Amino acid sequence: MMPAGDGTVPRPPGPGRRLALDRPAVPKEGLDHVPVPTSHLTLGLVHGRLLGPDLDLGLDLAHAHAHAHDHAPFPVRARARAPSPAAEAPVVLPRVSVRISPDGRWIASASADGTAKIWDASTGAHLETLVGHMAGVSCLAWSPESNTLATGSDDKSIRLWDRVTGSPAHAVAHREDAAATATMAMKGMAGKRGRRPRVGVPDEGVRGGKTGRGPLLGHHNYVYCLAFSPKGNILASGSYDEAVFLWDVRAGRLMRSLPAHSDPVSGVDFCRDGTLVVSCSTDGLIRIWDTLSGQCLRTLVHEDNPAVTNVCFSPNGRFVLAYSLDSSIRLWDYVSGSVKKTYQGHTNKGFSIGGCFAVLSDADDGFEDEDASEDGIRRQAFVTSASEDGDIVLWDVKSKEVMQRINGAHNGVCFWVDVHGSTMVSAGQDMLIKVFRHRPRHVPVKREYDSSSGANGVNGHHDDYLPDAAAADEELQRTIGADAESPSPQVKEEQM
Amino acid sequence: MNLLLSDDYLLQDYPENITNTIRSGHSTCVRFNRKGDFLASGRVDGTVVIWDLETMGVARKLRGHSRNVTSLSWSRCGRYLLSACQGWKVILWDLRDGKRYREVRFRAPVYGAELHPWNHLQFAAALFEDQPMLVDITEPIEVRYVLTSVPKRTTTYPDADAAQREKQAKEDAKNMTTAIVYTASGTHLLAGTTKGRLNIIDARTREIIYSEKIAGGVITTLRLTESGKELLVNAQDRIIRTFIVPNLSAPDLDPDTIQLPLEHKFQDVVNRLSWNHVAFSASGEYVAASTYNNHELYIWERAHGSLVRMLEGPKEEQGVIEWHPHRALLAACGLETGRINIWSVTTPQRWSALAPDFVEVEENVEYIEREDEFDIHPHEEIQKRRLDQEDEDVDVLTVVENGAGLDEGVDGFRMPILFNLGESDSEEEFVNAAPGTLRRKSPGDNEDGGNVTGEERGSGKKTAGGGAGRRGRKK
């Protein structure tokens, strides 16, 4: 299996062109599948089936990227700090983002054509296309109730969308307010209109933000990362203008601007109780902020100072996971300010690829009947990451060992991986979004087949269980090829 | 979580200066929820506004009263809010959908209504020139129990003549309950009367089990600490008193031996100030009071009974004040403008937090070089050594609660995020002055120009205080 895009295979058009950094040829044995012990196969995330990415999305994204190049080229930042062979080359961070909603039912994907799409996580059906941004969308965030989606774009704006209607979340208020204003004017209030707050007047550099209608404006450059607070009342955004903004979601008002970094802010996240915000940047710093006071409480920096491209809190909020461009993921204890673990085995040198923590409980493994007690549930945590060779890699948090590697999940770069419960979704340079599901250890393979095929009306493309990773990989590639030809969105099933 | 990173975060446990000013209409009373993330404010026009303290923005508006809101009370879970107004009405709001959950009408204006601390379907109300009521709204038709304000007589005169009895009855009739609160367990009610008496009422039998004259004037405010062990009483005799509340839920409680020892008396003997409203701090360590005809807020320490701070704010008399349930934060309503002023602590940025290699030192420290500090090792070796050191066991799942203990039971409800709050802002600045004419709500706002929205707030920096002051001077 040759991963696409490693220098020998011509890379497909699209996000690859944004990559000004030519990735050096990496020894193939380091890239290709690390042999996965069988014990890991049984323990780890074995994706039971693969919901086929549908044709629509692939085409849209393909179109999108070409489009984006004409109008919104990604900036070239010559702040390469990573001591990589390509250090003199500018580091740019293109991103295709995909996120599962907190309730696990929806998948949102951001696209460089300025739209975002919402998909049904269980069927793969395309539900909504969110149109409104004037440039490519590079980040997404779901509100905790899964009702609102925030998108950040290269047009410097952030938009909030109602998941159900697919329309801007503030639009209703806008319309009603306009109506109210009109009514008032008819009631003889016209004379006092001058004293009314003028809608859309810049206030501290915020246009539209103060009145809460339309997009959230305020960033001076591309909005690159977003995160909702656990209560959903605050939205944090990081931008190429090197600042982190905290927004009052209800009013659409800029609450606080954190003078965060000296390079584009590449990642933000809230901790579980919402009192801390973490931000990271290609300047190599990871900063922890107090949400209420807006003060920096801690700065984490690695000795080698690699550019950090993505960051998230651990599920208990006690650690910070940072993805950096030296092909390492580091788990920081932010209280002591030290690196606790370093996860390696993926490739990450030019893109700001995404990943997150994955937590599997016994219930996901089909143990729920045996172990009914509430606190007796064993939970296991993984670190997941996309890789620039198209793989998806999963590590055990404690042992730092690669638990599973999904070889060639995407052709070219795999940009983003998000996990919710037993569902994993990934987006890649091949303009596909793939959904993986954990196969419970204690559920027979056959049953899984039956239930899913019954529910989804699979087109009969069944494959036998393939225990061999390489064979499975091959099978996967074949499926993708088949999908690209299939005329309508269909659900495919795949065993690995 | 942020407590993990802040060593000196809570050094100062009483507020210092104005950090925010928020306004929606003309607020007359405020109340924090138990978790301390929301502040409810009641307005002159009867609207109840819920503020999110994290964003200092409006989270919800509740419309249902038509008169001045006089009191607010949150349920333990933070989902229900009881509001009472001068329009003889008490409404229990469900904040999940912002609808009226229950509405109870009385035959008099309501001084104040308080929810049972554990049961949101029961509340006590003090009524204007009427007997206080205990209301059970479990059933669709509420059950009202009339409580008495008549003090308990320790001695009865069976042989007393009619004239004496009549005299006593006349005196009793002058006792009106002006403030009523539940004890922490909810088994008893504490009621203050116009004659300065404190009555302890058994909530089950609805009888007064204890009665004593504790103040020389009308009792205006009764407040308990979270633990319920201390009672704060404000009366019109210009003295604020604190009492130690006995354990009323003890099984062997003998009503005849109840004692309510007086702990402190706070007063300003020089200026002879009287107090608009009083509040306990989070732990009961401090007592804060707003002053009548004066701009300052006074803060006393309860342990020694000493005045620790006089908070200056805008040049405006402050009405109702509230102390945040666990932070050093005070909210007070300006009587004139109806703004809610928030005093808090501003912590300075620790510069060492911005640069991990730097530490803040008090004096010069001689640097001692490590033996191997400038040794040169191959990069791979350093990397390998680093990775080998990472043998520590990490737990990324188990949540460690940091002693704050705020999460028990109050964590259950999450208020939905609303986007359409703006729709009502256009009208709220105006009130009907006469048929067909409207005027701006707050006279002070006319000078503010066109850039003041319905909800204004300070920037959260020190300039906010200055801004508020500037506005104040303009008038």
Side-chain angles (χ1 to χ4, degrees):
Chain A
M1 281 315 303
M2 174 88 75
D6 65 351
T8 52
V9 177
R11 235 175 283 133
R17 273 193 51 202
R18 291 171 168 187
L19 178 71
L21 171 87
D22 224 359
R23 199 153 45 77
V26 184
K28 206 166 156 267
E29 55 272 22
L31 267 181
D32 227 334
H33 33 254
V34 169
V36 181
T38 40
S39 63
H40 288 161
L41 271 173
T42 52
L43 230 188
L45 276 165
V46 182
H47 37 287
R49 53 185 196 172
L50 165 72
L51 289 173
D54 75 53
L55 190 65
D56 267 352
L57 176 68
L59 285 176
D60 267 333
L61 275 175
H63 176 69
H65 293 309
H67 194 71
H69 291 171
D70 299 338
H71 302 293
F74 246 82
V76 174
R77 286 265 161 182
R79 290 296 296 267
R81 288 173 178 233
S84 66
E88 66 283 355
V91 176
V92 291
L93 311 161
R95 180 180 269 186
V96 171
S97 185
V98 61
R99 290 281 171 105
I100 308 176
S101 67
D103 64 4
R105 292 173 61 198
W106 323 100
I107 293 168
S109 63
S111 149
D113 67 348
T115 64
K117 295 193 178 207
I118 300 176
W119 315 80
D120 188 315
S122 54
T123 64
H126 172 229
L127 299 172
E128 209 68 69
T129 302
L130 311 173
V131 185
H133 280 297
M134 313 294 282
V137 181
S138 45
C139 49
L140 288 167
W142 280 102
S143 74
E145 282 115 354
S146 305
N147 290 331
T148 309
L149 182 71
T151 55
S153 161
D154 288 359
D155 66 6
K156 308 174 193 176
S157 71
I158 300 161
R159 281 172 188 271
L160 296 168
W161 308 87
D162 187 306
R163 198 244 319 140
V164 182
T165 63
S167 54
H170 282 140
V172 179
H174 179 46
R175 241 178 280 130
E176 282 182 15
D177 186 76
T181 313
T183 319
M184 193 163 290
M186 280 157 64
K187 279 182 187 166
M189 287 305 302
K192 295 198 177 181
R193 281 281 289 138
R195 283 184 187 159
R196 300 288 313 134
R198 283 162 292 164
V199 174
V201 171
D203 179 75
E204 303 149 28
V206 187
R207 191 151 43 87
K210 183 159 181 171
T211 51
R213 279 131 215 157
L216 311 182
L217 298 174
H219 276 299
H220 302 298
N221 212 326
Y222 312 135
V223 180
Y224 200 62
C225 45
L226 287 172
F228 267 103
S229 72
K231 278 187 209 151
N233 55 350
I234 302 174
L235 180 71
S237 64
S239 158
Y240 262 63
D241 65 11
E242 303 171 0
V244 171
F245 283 5
L246 300 181
W247 303 85
D248 177 349
V249 174
R250 295 186 186 93
R253 175 179 58 92
L254 175 62
M255 240 171 71
R256 207 175 276 287
S257 145
L258 309 175
H261 292 283
S262 56
D263 259 345
V265 180
S266 48
V268 284
D269 194 21
F270 273 94
C271 77
R272 58 178 290 284
D273 67 353
T275 55
L276 296 176
V277 175
V278 64
S279 70
C280 69
S281 159
T282 42
D283 64 6
L285 303 180
I286 301 157
R287 292 209 152 125
I288 314 271
W289 306 84
D290 187 274
T291 314
L292 273 183
S293 69
Q295 286 176 352
C296 179
L297 296 179
R298 195 56 57 100
T299 301
L300 310 172
V301 56
H302 193 256
E303 280 170 54
D304 297 345
N305 204 13
V308 186
T309 57
N310 188 22
V311 73
C312 63
F313 274 102
S314 67
N316 64 358
R318 202 38 206 78
F319 300 93
V320 158
L321 190 67
Y323 294 69
S324 52
L325 285 186
D326 57 351
S327 294
S328 303
I329 302 166
R330 294 191 173 83
L331 185 71
W332 289 85
D333 178 344
Y334 59 80
V335 177
S336 68
S338 57
V339 177
K340 291 291 176 211
K341 301 282 173 189
T342 304
Y343 306 99
Q344 286 177 312
H346 66 307
T347 317
N348 183 12
K349 292 188 185 301
F351 291 91
S352 69
I353 57 164
C356 62
F357 277 99
V359 180
L360 275 184
S361 64
D362 280 350
D364 295 319
D365 269 329
F367 278 128
E368 46 206 333
D369 296 337
E370 300 165 32
D371 200 352
S373 70
E374 186 71 20
D375 43 359
I377 289 178
R378 241 173 5 95
R379 296 199 300 166
Q380 197 180 1
F382 304 90
V383 170
T384 61
S385 172
S387 174
E388 283 169 19
D389 50 17
D391 296 355
I392 297 168
V393 190
L394 293 102
W395 292 266
D396 179 70
V397 167
K398 285 176 186 165
S399 69
K400 301 191 283 178
E401 279 170 26
V402 174
M403 300 294 284
Q404 191 179 359
R405 172 182 291 266
I406 299 165
N407 280 303
H410 288 274
N411 274 320
V413 176
C414 176
F415 288 121
W416 202 270
V417 177
D418 194 19
V419 184
H420 180 280
S422 58
T423 306
M424 176 163 77
V425 61
S426 68
Q429 205 176 5
D430 52 7
M431 290 143 215
L432 296 177
I433 292 169
K434 296 194 179 184
V435 184
F436 301 84
R437 269 187 228 292
H438 172 62
R439 189 181 57 218
R441 267 183 288 168
H442 282 245
V443 175
V445 175
K446 193 68 190 157
R447 212 177 86 192
E448 166 82 7
Y449 255 140
D450 293 344
S451 64
S452 56
S453 61
N456 296 322
V458 176
N459 61 351
H461 185 90
H462 285 238
D463 289 292
D464 288 327
Y465 176 59
L466 297 160
D468 178 32
D473 200 23
E474 220 162 321
E475 194 54 45
L476 182 73
Q477 297 293 332
R478 197 160 64 76
T479 318
I480 294 163
D483 267 345
E485 257 82 60
S486 65
S488 62
Q490 272 168 331
V491 176
K492 292 277 158 77
E493 220 175 8
E494 182 64 22
Q495 284 294 332
M496 275 186 66
Chain B
M1 252 20 332
N2 54 2
L3 297 176
L4 290 171
L5 288 179
S6 49
D7 25 307
D8 55 355
Y9 197 73
L10 296 172
L11 265 184
Q12 173 110 15
D13 43 11
Y14 54 88
E16 255 182 347
N17 40 28
I18 280 218
T19 50
N20 293 84
T21 300
I22 51 180
R23 185 176 68 88
S24 169
H26 188 118
S27 303
T28 52
C29 62
V30 287
R31 189 57 84 89
F32 289 102
N33 69 341
R34 232 164 264 264
K35 213 171 154 194
D37 49 355
F38 291 104
L39 175 73
S41 76
R43 304 193 332 198
V44 168
D45 63 354
T47 309
V48 176
V49 180
I50 314 285
W51 299 87
D52 185 336
L53 281 181
E54 285 168 15
T55 62
M56 288 294 171
V58 175
R60 189 139 234 169
K61 280 185 188 165
L62 309 167
R63 294 168 197 281
H65 292 293
S66 49
R67 297 287 176 83
N68 190 2
V69 178
T70 52
S71 92
L72 296 160
S73 175
W74 289 83
S75 71
R76 180 159 290 266
C77 57
R79 180 175 165 180
Y80 301 96
L81 178 72
L82 188 77
S83 63
C85 78
Q86 286 178 353
W88 308 9
K89 206 157 59 169
V90 168
I91 299 179
L92 183 68
W93 304 91
D94 184 351
L95 296 177
R96 187 176 296 275
D97 51 11
K99 298 242 170 68
R100 275 175 238 205
Y101 189 67
R102 282 287 200 290
E103 183 177 312
V104 178
R105 283 174 177 277
F106 294 103
R107 279 176 297 182
V110 187
Y111 275 135
E114 203 189 62
L115 275 181
H116 189 283
W118 299 94
N119 175 9
H120 68 268
L121 294 172
Q122 217 181 75
F123 69 87
L127 305 172
F128 178 73
E129 300 210 327
D130 204 343
Q131 297 305 325
M133 296 243 194
L134 186 68
V135 185
D136 190 327
I137 44 176
T138 318
E139 303 297 323
I141 296 169
E142 75 271 3
V143 187
R144 302 170 192 219
Y145 303 101
V146 178
L147 304 172
T148 175
S149 304
V150 176
K152 185 188 175 192
R153 300 284 170 203
T154 41
T155 50
T156 47
Y157 309 100
D159 309 325
D161 53 43
Q164 198 172 343
R165 243 182 290 162
E166 199 178 307
K167 188 184 162 205
Q168 200 178 73
K170 224 177 202 175
E171 220 164 75
D172 288 350
K174 286 181 192 160
N175 270 302
M176 287 294 163
T177 300
T178 49
I180 192 161
V181 289
Y182 272 100
T183 55
S185 60
T187 55
H188 293 77
L189 289 154
L190 305 178
T193 70
T194 45
K195 291 286 168 197
R197 276 188 172 273
L198 182 84
N199 297 328
I200 300 180
I201 305 166
D202 189 318
R204 200 170 43 81
T205 61
R206 297 179 295 281
E207 299 212 330
I208 294 180
I209 58 165
Y210 173 84
S211 180
E212 197 189 321
K213 191 169 171 70
I214 55 165
V218 180
I219 292 178
T220 55
T221 320
L222 291 176
R223 305 300 300 268
L224 284 164
T225 51
E226 178 67 30
S227 66
K229 288 185 180 130
E230 293 91 15
L231 173 70
L232 181 63
V233 178
N234 184 28
Q236 277 185 351
D237 60 359
R238 303 174 186 209
I239 301 173
I240 299 166
R241 295 172 175 86
T242 58
F243 296 90
I244 307 290
V245 181
N247 182 10
L248 296 168
S249 44
D252 54 343
L253 180 79
D254 179 6
D256 298 329
T257 60
I258 291 177
Q259 293 207 331
L260 197 71
L262 174 72
E263 190 193 34
H264 286 298
K265 280 185 179 179
F266 301 112
Q267 55 186 323
D268 188 332
V269 278
V270 181
N271 296 322
R272 300 278 297 147
L273 289 171
S274 55
W275 314 101
N276 280 341
H277 200 254
V278 290
F280 263 130
S281 76
S283 54
E285 218 176 321
Y286 298 95
V287 170
S290 59
T291 50
Y292 174 69
N293 258 340
N294 202 315
H295 304 309
E296 273 116 16
L297 299 185
Y298 282 54
I299 298 177
W300 294 273
E301 196 190 19
R302 228 195 53 200
H304 301 97
S306 55
L307 181 70
V308 292
R309 180 96 196 174
M310 283 160 73
L311 291 179
E312 300 199 5
K315 298 275 177 283
E316 171 177 31
E317 186 182 337
Q318 306 291 328
V320 172
I321 62 169
E322 276 284 316
W323 200 300
H324 190 273
H326 50 88
R327 278 166 56 198
L329 191 146
L330 258 174
C333 295
L335 280 184
E336 193 186 325
T337 61
R339 290 196 173 94
I340 303 165
N341 298 305
I342 291 174
W343 282 263
S344 180
V345 191
T346 40
T347 41
Q349 170 74 52
R350 276 187 303 132
W351 299 108
S352 60
L354 292 165
D357 311 344
F358 288 78
V359 275
E360 281 172 41
V361 289
E362 293 294 315
E363 52 189 36
N364 274 338
V365 177
E366 198 153 323
Y367 186 72
I368 299 154
E369 184 188 315
R370 272 186 292 116
E371 171 59 34
D372 60 344
E373 184 155 359
F374 295 102
D375 290 1
I376 297 168
H377 296 287
H379 185 73
E380 291 76 22
E381 197 182 312
I382 297 173
Q383 182 71 8
K384 189 176 176 300
R385 203 185 298 166
R386 262 191 223 145
L387 294 181
D388 287 346
Q389 279 170 357
E390 298 172 357
D391 51 358
E392 213 172 310
D393 207 12
V394 291
D395 184 354
V396 295
L397 295 175
T398 313
V399 176
V400 184
E401 290 303 336
N402 42 20
L406 299 160
D407 295 53
E408 39 92 27
V410 293
D411 221 11
F413 172 68
R414 189 200 278 164
M415 187 121 52
I417 304 291
L418 303 177
F419 293 104
N420 53 353
L421 288 159
E423 67 188 71
S424 52
D425 284 351
S426 49
E427 68 215 285
E428 75 176 342
E429 290 305 298
F430 306 93
V431 284
N432 277 307
T437 55
L438 295 158
R439 66 165 174 82
R440 279 195 91 106
K441 166 124 286 169
S442 314
D445 292 326
N446 285 329
E447 289 102 309
D448 281 2
N451 58 352
V452 177
T453 59
E455 280 76 40
E456 63 177 78
R457 66 282 289 168
S459 62
K461 296 181 185 111
K462 281 188 176 170
T463 52
R470 208 164 50 242
R471 278 194 292 273
R473 274 197 297 283
K474 267 191 194 168
K475 285 191 287 285

